[in-house]
Amino acid sequence: AHLLAAVGGDGMLEVDFNANPLREGLAMPFPTTQDSKLNLQGSPGLGVVPNQSEINNYLVYKAEVVK
């Protein structure tokens, strides 16, 4: 979405708009829509910040390196 917006914005982008708590919880603030258009943040990169505490809820194995 950010790449499309950077090159002019008039194009098609397929996005899954089904409820997805995992996606929405890990990438905040999750872009909202208005008039079938994504409201993108002006932040660098993808415009979302991974929520580390939410990611830890899905951690099933953590290996520690012993030096």
Side-chain angles (χ1 to χ4, degrees):
H2 280 80
L3 179 59
L4 183 60
V7 296
D10 288 335
M12 299 292 287
L13 175 68
E14 185 175 341
V15 178
D16 178 12
F17 282 101
N18 291 308
N20 186 330
L22 176 62
R23 173 187 63 209
E24 294 160 12
L26 294 179
M28 297 303 291
F30 190 73
T32 59
T33 59
Q34 182 177 5
D35 299 326
S36 299
K37 295 181 181 179
L38 281 175
N39 296 314
L40 299 175
Q41 301 293 321
S43 327
L46 296 177
V48 296
V49 177
N51 183 335
Q52 188 62 45
S53 62
E54 188 71 22
I55 291 171
N56 288 337
N57 292 330
Y58 297 97
L59 185 64
V60 292
Y61 175 76
K62 180 180 178 182
E64 292 188 30
V65 178
V66 179
K67 292 183 179 184

